[in-house]
Amino acid sequence: MSTPETDLATYNFAYLDEQTKRMIRRAILKAIAIPGYQVPFASREMPMPYGWGTGGVQVTAAVIGPDDTLKVIDQGADDTTNAVSIRAFFQKVANVAVTTKTREATVIQTRHRIPEEKLTEGQVLVYQVPIPEPLRFLEPRETETRKMHALEEYGLMHVKLYEDIARNGHIATTYAYPVKVEGRYVMDPSPIPKFDNPKMHMSEALQLFGAGREKRIYAIPPHTKVVSLDFEDHPFEVQKFAKPCALCGAHGVYLDEVILDDKGGRMFVCSDTDFCEERREAGHVGELGVANKEAAE
Amino acid sequence: MSLHTEALEGGFASPVLGAQATFRALMDAMARPGTTRTAGSNAAPPHPLGVAQGAVALTLADHDTPVWLSPALANATTKGWIGFHTGAEIVSSSAHARFAFLAAGEPIPDFHGFAAGSQDYPDRSATLVIELPALTGGPTFVARGPGIKDSTQITLQGTPADFLRRWAANRAFSPLGLDIVFTAGSELMALPRSTDLQALGG
Ligand SMILES: [Zn+2]
């Protein structure tokens, strides 16, 4: 983050001023009361570019308190520049404890993934959302998409997915795969892989979504129905991987491709780095992994 | 204590952290209807505003949110306290209020008198903050809906006899509708519009 020290010298707790926090907090409460509905809010400038997840950062700033432990992930990893910067930001402006362990965190801010470890009651998952409106690519006008949500006119969305099937033989959408929340609002789950969609359904954690540029906050309360849109003859399916994680041997997790050399060598490893590390520490070894000496002893 | 000083005192000892803690209690309560949270332990709103009830006002109300006060609360002291600590405008028309505060034992006015939001913007609805004698010990209602695993029982004390019918009418309006925060002293419980309430065995 390029923020000069002086800009942060006079910050309020968690950076945002109290009036902004109140406005965001009111939006969060209404968002929880109307699951999947996008509540407009007056997004503030944050000391980072929009692409860095300012919506998520503002939600986290309005929620977080001195007793919280924060985890920040980007593409499943805690150590990318984006994740490290946001974590450092909250350490500085809110003096909160931070962790990379999913189960130790009370607030998890995320871009692109839901942790593999099942989230629990008392945890809040905050998503950074670039484009909150699932109907935007079908209808550019906000007044029209509002109306479509109000009238539950989601036929166009199904047409789009069905065109996918006609063209490719299957639904080609693999990220930001639209869901219907509690049988009412169609919602963009942010650019997580559709692999993660089932984790949103009946989660024990509260899920909050913040879009900074488009100024929207939405939510999925715990124990709420979240169904990925599909068709009877083409039911929703998550990505499957041919092999387990090359480092820790985990099955049934989301894997990233890693290029090993310029001769086409590659491997597939857990995208959730905390999950992978913990498995390796526990002695699990994949086909390209190195046995953990301590665990092996 | 004079009327004037009473209005100036009784805010959060630490406004920033007090508001954060109260919001967190509210957020958790709204996300898990039927559960009870504690709020406002270091706020001292003027009687008959409850401690948690006053803390909700301090946490959420400001000059962007007109506030309606029930007859028992619409006195100079309470108006002065909310006005001084939050900057919110006190309105006499309930339809214009974003927050409505009601004292224990008062009749709950017709829900239709409050903003329920619009089809395009169902979030532009009022939140009622209703003080009760206690959040337990009353008739048993079975609650279901988002935030509730299977079902849970609540026993709010002091809700009107026709509350279930009125709540069902509010819920039938969903996604429009009111949301309620019930308070009793330093405790609060939320009832978002999404929660279905039935009489036990009903
Ligand atoms: Zn792994």
Side-chain angles (χ1 to χ4, degrees):
Chain A
M1 232 170 292
S2 59
T3 312
E5 289 289 314
T6 48
D7 284 9
L8 288 175
T10 55
Y11 59 78
N12 190 15
F13 176 81
Y15 186 78
L16 294 175
D17 62 273
E18 290 304 293
Q19 189 196 334
T20 299
K21 283 185 199 162
R22 274 193 301 275
M23 181 260 302
I24 293 172
R25 287 166 177 168
R26 292 193 296 259
I28 290 172
L29 295 178
K30 288 299 179 190
I32 294 170
I34 317 167
Y37 164 77
Q38 300 165 52
V39 182
F41 80 110
S43 180
R44 292 289 188 265
E45 291 292 325
M46 296 299 283
M48 57 193 79
Y50 275 123
W52 286 53
T54 57
V57 169
Q58 289 177 80
V59 169
T60 296
V63 164
I64 208 158
D67 299 335
D68 277 309
T69 302
L70 176 71
K71 171 181 166 80
V72 183
I73 49 171
D74 175 21
Q75 303 277 10
D78 300 83
D79 59 357
T80 67
T81 311
N82 183 297
V84 169
S85 301
I86 292 173
R87 199 164 55 232
F89 174 73
F90 281 110
Q91 273 182 296
K92 186 172 179 61
V93 300
N95 195 28
V96 291
V98 296
T99 184
T100 59
K101 299 268 171 245
T102 296
R103 93 177 60 89
E104 288 174 3
T106 54
V107 177
I108 303 171
Q109 181 168 330
T110 182
R111 182 166 81 156
H112 300 314
R113 281 307 312 280
I114 299 175
E116 301 292 356
E117 188 173 323
K118 196 167 172 281
L119 300 181
T120 57
E121 183 177 339
Q123 291 185 309
V124 184
L125 184 59
V126 179
Y127 296 76
Q128 302 171 202
V129 183
I131 302 165
E133 179 49 72
L135 304 169
R136 186 61 71 228
F137 61 94
L138 300 167
E139 171 54 66
R141 289 167 298 179
E142 171 68 14
T143 49
E144 292 304 306
T145 53
R146 287 252 150 218
K147 214 161 282 163
M148 289 161 80
H149 283 294
L151 302 173
E152 288 185 78
E153 271 179 17
Y154 295 129
L156 269 180
M157 180 61 94
H158 280 93
V159 169
K160 193 269 171 191
L161 291 173
Y162 215 88
E163 281 171 357
D164 253 24
I165 296 170
R167 202 175 307 122
N168 311 299
H170 63 274
I171 297 173
T173 305
T174 53
Y175 287 87
Y177 190 105
V179 296
K180 193 173 227 183
V181 182
E182 202 60 23
R184 180 57 182 83
Y185 284 99
V186 167
M187 190 197 93
D188 182 317
S190 87
I192 57 171
K194 66 176 182 175
F195 180 90
D196 284 340
N197 277 19
K199 296 176 188 164
M200 291 189 284
H201 177 64
M202 294 295 177
S203 172
E204 287 180 28
L206 168 64
Q207 301 172 78
L208 301 176
F209 300 77
R213 191 169 34 211
E214 304 224 7
K215 306 176 171 60
R216 297 285 182 273
I217 286 171
Y218 49 104
I220 304 173
H223 308 294
T224 295
K225 292 177 207 127
V226 180
V227 177
S228 302
L229 301 185
D230 66 354
F231 302 92
E232 248 171 59
D233 51 344
H234 287 273
F236 172 80
E237 283 177 349
V238 299
Q239 293 100 324
K240 290 193 180 71
F241 298 90
K243 285 182 175 181
C245 171
L247 295 177
C248 79
H251 291 268
V253 296
Y254 193 76
L255 304 179
D256 284 336
E257 184 177 355
V258 177
I259 307 295
L260 295 172
D261 52 43
D262 55 7
K263 299 180 190 74
R266 56 187 196 148
M267 65 175 177
F268 286 89
V269 300
C270 290
S271 125
D272 184 334
T273 54
D274 165 58
F275 180 84
C276 197
E277 276 162 25
E278 197 162 293
R279 277 181 55 86
R280 281 179 278 153
E281 278 164 21
H284 297 278
V285 187
E287 67 176 2
L288 297 178
V290 181
N292 181 308
K293 278 179 191 148
E294 282 171 43
E297 273 163 12
Chain B
M1 196 187 303
S2 79
L3 221 158
H4 185 66
T5 57
E6 199 174 357
L8 303 185
E9 291 171 358
F12 288 126
S14 162
V16 172
L17 298 181
Q20 191 277 332
T22 302
F23 168 70
R24 204 52 178 273
L26 269 168
M27 183 181 85
D28 290 343
M30 199 60 90
R32 293 183 168 79
T35 62
T36 301
R37 314 277 157 174
T38 303
S41 54
N42 60 9
H47 182 82
L49 259 189
V51 168
Q53 194 177 31
V56 171
L58 296 175
T59 300
L60 297 179
D62 60 23
H63 57 76
D64 290 330
T65 63
V67 165
W68 182 85
L69 299 173
S70 66
L73 296 175
N75 56 65
T77 306
T78 310
K79 283 181 179 174
W81 190 80
I82 289 181
F84 174 77
H85 289 285
T86 74
E89 181 195 356
I90 310 293
V91 291
S92 53
S93 161
S94 59
H96 295 128
R98 297 302 295 270
F99 294 101
F101 294 87
L102 289 85
E106 279 190 295
I108 299 175
D110 190 340
F111 288 162
H112 292 111
F114 298 95
S118 66
Q119 269 207 319
D120 288 358
Y121 295 96
D123 58 299
R124 295 179 182 171
S125 64
T127 301
L128 273 48
V129 187
I130 304 175
E131 183 80 4
L132 296 175
L135 298 182
T136 56
T140 304
F141 302 153
V142 180
R144 290 185 180 83
I148 301 168
K149 189 178 186 184
D150 305 321
S151 70
T152 189
Q153 297 191 356
I154 61 174
T155 61
L156 299 166
Q157 200 179 117
T159 53
D162 62 350
F163 183 73
L164 280 186
R165 184 186 59 74
R166 294 172 63 185
W167 184 251
N170 182 59
R171 189 159 183 277
F173 219 27
S174 176
L176 282 70
L178 306 177
D179 307 304
I180 299 180
V181 177
F182 288 110
T183 54
S186 59
E187 295 191 323
L188 61 83
M189 182 189 292
L191 200 54
R193 68 195 77 177
S194 56
T195 302
D196 171 60
L197 286 185
Q198 303 289 337
L200 182 62

